[in-house]
PDB file of all heavy atoms in Angstrom:
ATOM      1  N   ALA A  10       2.208   4.683  -2.391  1.00 98.00           N
ATOM      2  CA  ALA A  10       1.708   5.952  -1.835  1.00 98.00           C
ATOM      3  C   ALA A  10       1.061   6.866  -2.878  1.00 98.00           C
ATOM      4  O   ALA A  10       0.152   7.639  -2.575  1.00 98.00           O
ATOM      5  CB  ALA A  10       2.867   6.679  -1.165  1.00 98.00           C
ATOM      6  N   GLU A  15      -3.868  11.788  -4.422  1.00 98.00           N
ATOM      7  CA  GLU A  15      -5.018  12.659  -4.771  1.00 98.00           C
ATOM      8  C   GLU A  15      -6.075  12.663  -3.664  1.00 98.00           C
ATOM      9  O   GLU A  15      -7.067  13.388  -3.758  1.00 98.00           O
ATOM     10  CB  GLU A  15      -5.634  12.196  -6.098  1.00 98.00           C
ATOM     11  CG  GLU A  15      -4.697  12.527  -7.302  1.00 98.00           C
ATOM     12  CD  GLU A  15      -4.908  11.603  -8.477  1.00 98.00           C
ATOM     13  OE1 GLU A  15      -4.291  10.522  -8.501  1.00 98.00           O
ATOM     14  OE2 GLU A  15      -5.698  11.965  -9.384  1.00 98.00           O
ATOM     15  N   PHE A  21       6.219   9.443  -0.064  1.00 94.00           N
ATOM     16  CA  PHE A  21       7.471   9.401   0.734  1.00 94.00           C
ATOM     17  C   PHE A  21       8.599  10.121   0.050  1.00 94.00           C
ATOM     18  O   PHE A  21       9.359  10.842   0.701  1.00 94.00           O
ATOM     19  CB  PHE A  21       7.846   7.911   0.994  1.00 94.00           C
ATOM     20  CG  PHE A  21       6.848   7.196   1.839  1.00 94.00           C
ATOM     21  CD1 PHE A  21       5.825   6.433   1.272  1.00 94.00           C
ATOM     22  CD2 PHE A  21       6.897   7.313   3.232  1.00 94.00           C
ATOM     23  CE1 PHE A  21       4.899   5.785   2.054  1.00 94.00           C
ATOM     24  CE2 PHE A  21       5.972   6.685   4.029  1.00 94.00           C
ATOM     25  CZ  PHE A  21       4.975   5.891   3.457  1.00 94.00           C
ATOM     26  N   ARG A  22       8.735   9.875  -1.298  1.00 93.00           N
ATOM     27  CA  ARG A  22       9.963  10.321  -1.951  1.00 93.00           C
ATOM     28  C   ARG A  22       9.734  11.425  -2.962  1.00 93.00           C
ATOM     29  O   ARG A  22      10.656  11.779  -3.683  1.00 93.00           O
ATOM     30  CB  ARG A  22      10.636   9.088  -2.608  1.00 93.00           C
ATOM     31  CG  ARG A  22      11.056   8.059  -1.559  1.00 93.00           C
ATOM     32  CD  ARG A  22      11.576   6.766  -2.118  1.00 93.00           C
ATOM     33  NE  ARG A  22      11.945   5.858  -1.053  1.00 93.00           N
ATOM     34  CZ  ARG A  22      11.090   5.077  -0.414  1.00 93.00           C
ATOM     35  NH1 ARG A  22       9.791   5.072  -0.778  1.00 93.00           N
ATOM     36  NH2 ARG A  22      11.430   4.307   0.606  1.00 93.00           N
ATOM     37  N   TRP A  28       9.662  11.521   3.778  1.00 89.00           N
ATOM     38  CA  TRP A  28      11.069  11.307   4.137  1.00 89.00           C
ATOM     39  C   TRP A  28      11.912  12.548   3.972  1.00 89.00           C
ATOM     40  O   TRP A  28      13.107  12.571   4.302  1.00 89.00           O
ATOM     41  CB  TRP A  28      11.664  10.111   3.376  1.00 89.00           C
ATOM     42  CG  TRP A  28      11.024   8.798   3.661  1.00 89.00           C
ATOM     43  CD1 TRP A  28      10.940   7.744   2.811  1.00 89.00           C
ATOM     44  CD2 TRP A  28      10.315   8.389   4.850  1.00 89.00           C
ATOM     45  NE1 TRP A  28      10.288   6.709   3.405  1.00 89.00           N
ATOM     46  CE2 TRP A  28       9.858   7.074   4.638  1.00 89.00           C
ATOM     47  CE3 TRP A  28      10.053   8.993   6.077  1.00 89.00           C
ATOM     48  CZ2 TRP A  28       9.175   6.351   5.621  1.00 89.00           C
ATOM     49  CZ3 TRP A  28       9.336   8.281   7.023  1.00 89.00           C
ATOM     50  CH2 TRP A  28       8.931   6.994   6.827  1.00 89.00           C
ATOM     51  N   GLN A  86       1.376  -1.368  -0.611  1.00 98.00           N
ATOM     52  CA  GLN A  86       2.442  -0.993   0.301  1.00 98.00           C
ATOM     53  C   GLN A  86       1.940   0.054   1.289  1.00 98.00           C
ATOM     54  O   GLN A  86       2.634   0.405   2.245  1.00 98.00           O
ATOM     55  CB  GLN A  86       3.647  -0.439  -0.467  1.00 98.00           C
ATOM     56  CG  GLN A  86       4.259  -1.421  -1.473  1.00 98.00           C
ATOM     57  CD  GLN A  86       5.265  -0.745  -2.342  1.00 98.00           C
ATOM     58  OE1 GLN A  86       6.461  -0.599  -1.980  1.00 98.00           O
ATOM     59  NE2 GLN A  86       4.840  -0.277  -3.512  1.00 98.00           N
ATOM     60  N   HIS A 104       2.953  -3.737   4.228  1.00 98.00           N
ATOM     61  CA  HIS A 104       3.699  -2.948   5.227  1.00 98.00           C
ATOM     62  C   HIS A 104       2.875  -2.612   6.447  1.00 98.00           C
ATOM     63  O   HIS A 104       3.225  -1.701   7.207  1.00 98.00           O
ATOM     64  CB  HIS A 104       4.261  -1.672   4.577  1.00 98.00           C
ATOM     65  CG  HIS A 104       5.242  -1.964   3.486  1.00 98.00           C
ATOM     66  ND1 HIS A 104       5.607  -1.047   2.537  1.00 98.00           N
ATOM     67  CD2 HIS A 104       5.948  -3.107   3.205  1.00 98.00           C
ATOM     68  CE1 HIS A 104       6.504  -1.609   1.716  1.00 98.00           C
ATOM     69  NE2 HIS A 104       6.701  -2.852   2.075  1.00 98.00           N
ATOM     70  N   THR A 171       3.902   3.836  -7.231  1.00 98.00           N
ATOM     71  CA  THR A 171       5.030   3.400  -6.418  1.00 98.00           C
ATOM     72  C   THR A 171       6.334   3.587  -7.200  1.00 98.00           C
ATOM     73  O   THR A 171       6.402   3.359  -8.387  1.00 98.00           O
ATOM     74  CB  THR A 171       4.935   1.934  -5.964  1.00 98.00           C
ATOM     75  OG1 THR A 171       6.142   1.556  -5.273  1.00 98.00           O
ATOM     76  CG2 THR A 171       4.686   0.970  -7.118  1.00 98.00           C
ATOM     77  N   SER A 172       7.340   4.099  -6.492  1.00 98.00           N
ATOM     78  CA  SER A 172       8.645   4.326  -7.138  1.00 98.00           C
ATOM     79  C   SER A 172       9.449   3.028  -7.233  1.00 98.00           C
ATOM     80  O   SER A 172      10.554   3.038  -7.776  1.00 98.00           O
ATOM     81  CB  SER A 172       9.418   5.364  -6.302  1.00 98.00           C
ATOM     82  OG  SER A 172       9.644   4.849  -4.979  1.00 98.00           O
ATOM     83  N   VAL A 175      11.526  -0.032  -2.769  1.00 96.00           N
ATOM     84  CA  VAL A 175      11.603  -0.838  -1.553  1.00 96.00           C
ATOM     85  C   VAL A 175      11.309  -2.299  -1.840  1.00 96.00           C
ATOM     86  O   VAL A 175      10.279  -2.624  -2.398  1.00 96.00           O
ATOM     87  CB  VAL A 175      10.629  -0.259  -0.479  1.00 96.00           C
ATOM     88  CG1 VAL A 175      10.598  -1.149   0.756  1.00 96.00           C
ATOM     89  CG2 VAL A 175      11.068   1.133  -0.090  1.00 96.00           C
ATOM     90  N   ASP A 195       1.850   6.128 -13.460  1.00 98.00           N
ATOM     91  CA  ASP A 195       2.619   7.016 -12.603  1.00 98.00           C
ATOM     92  C   ASP A 195       2.958   8.252 -13.432  1.00 98.00           C
ATOM     93  O   ASP A 195       3.388   8.116 -14.575  1.00 98.00           O
ATOM     94  CB  ASP A 195       3.930   6.307 -12.159  1.00 98.00           C
ATOM     95  CG  ASP A 195       4.582   6.995 -10.980  1.00 98.00           C
ATOM     96  OD1 ASP A 195       4.808   8.235 -11.056  1.00 98.00           O
ATOM     97  OD2 ASP A 195       4.850   6.334  -9.988  1.00 98.00           O
ATOM     98  N   ALA A 212      -3.079   8.738 -10.807  1.00 98.00           N
ATOM     99  CA  ALA A 212      -3.870   7.506 -10.623  1.00 98.00           C
ATOM    100  C   ALA A 212      -5.319   7.681 -11.081  1.00 98.00           C
ATOM    101  O   ALA A 212      -5.881   6.813 -11.766  1.00 98.00           O
ATOM    102  CB  ALA A 212      -3.842   7.082  -9.149  1.00 98.00           C
TER     103      ALA A 212
HETATM  104  N1  APR B 301      -0.877   9.283  -9.003  1.00 52.49           N
HETATM  105  C1  APR B 301      -0.051   8.223  -9.263  1.00 52.49           C
HETATM  106  N2  APR B 301       1.242   8.135  -8.822  1.00 52.49           N
HETATM  107  C2  APR B 301       1.672   9.222  -8.139  1.00 52.49           C
HETATM  108  C3  APR B 301       0.898  10.359  -7.851  1.00 52.49           C
HETATM  109  C4  APR B 301      -0.434  10.358  -8.305  1.00 52.49           C
HETATM  110  N3  APR B 301      -1.276  11.383  -8.088  1.00 52.49           N
HETATM  111  N4  APR B 301       1.674  11.256  -7.128  1.00 52.49           N
HETATM  112  C5  APR B 301       2.886  10.683  -6.994  1.00 52.49           C
HETATM  113  N5  APR B 301       2.922   9.479  -7.599  1.00 52.49           N
HETATM  114  C6  APR B 301       4.017   8.498  -7.698  1.00 52.49           C
HETATM  115  C7  APR B 301       5.376   9.104  -7.657  1.00 52.49           C
HETATM  116  O1  APR B 301       5.769   9.539  -8.944  1.00 52.49           O
HETATM  117  C8  APR B 301       6.216   7.912  -7.146  1.00 52.49           C
HETATM  118  O2  APR B 301       6.637   7.091  -8.210  1.00 52.49           O
HETATM  119  O3  APR B 301       3.913   7.669  -6.564  1.00 52.49           O
HETATM  120  C9  APR B 301       5.217   7.139  -6.295  1.00 52.49           C
HETATM  121  C10 APR B 301       5.489   7.321  -4.814  1.00 52.49           C
HETATM  122  O4  APR B 301       6.727   6.728  -4.537  1.00 52.49           O
HETATM  123  P1  APR B 301       7.194   6.692  -2.980  1.00 52.49           P
HETATM  124  O5  APR B 301       6.977   8.017  -2.361  1.00 52.49           O
HETATM  125  O6  APR B 301       8.576   6.108  -2.979  1.00 52.49           O
HETATM  126  O7  APR B 301       6.178   5.702  -2.291  1.00 52.49           O
HETATM  127  P2  APR B 301       6.183   4.097  -2.328  1.00 52.49           P
HETATM  128  O8  APR B 301       6.758   3.599  -3.616  1.00 52.49           O
HETATM  129  O9  APR B 301       4.797   3.662  -2.006  1.00 52.49           O
HETATM  130  O10 APR B 301       7.147   3.722  -1.112  1.00 52.49           O
HETATM  131  C11 APR B 301       7.292   2.344  -0.838  1.00 52.49           C
HETATM  132  O11 APR B 301       8.670   2.900   1.056  1.00 52.49           O
HETATM  133  O12 APR B 301       9.112   4.202   2.855  1.00 52.49           O
HETATM  134  C12 APR B 301       8.611   2.995   2.476  1.00 52.49           C
HETATM  135  O13 APR B 301       7.064   1.728   3.645  1.00 52.49           O
HETATM  136  C13 APR B 301       7.151   2.861   2.861  1.00 52.49           C
HETATM  137  O14 APR B 301       5.413   1.678   1.689  1.00 52.49           O
HETATM  138  C14 APR B 301       6.449   2.667   1.553  1.00 52.49           C
HETATM  139  C15 APR B 301       7.546   2.154   0.632  1.00 52.49           C
END
Side-chain angles (χ1 to χ4, degrees):
E15 288 155 274
F21 295 95
R22 296 174 181 83
W28 297 153
Q86 299 171 85
H104 297 161
T171 175
S172 61
V175 174
D195 196 308

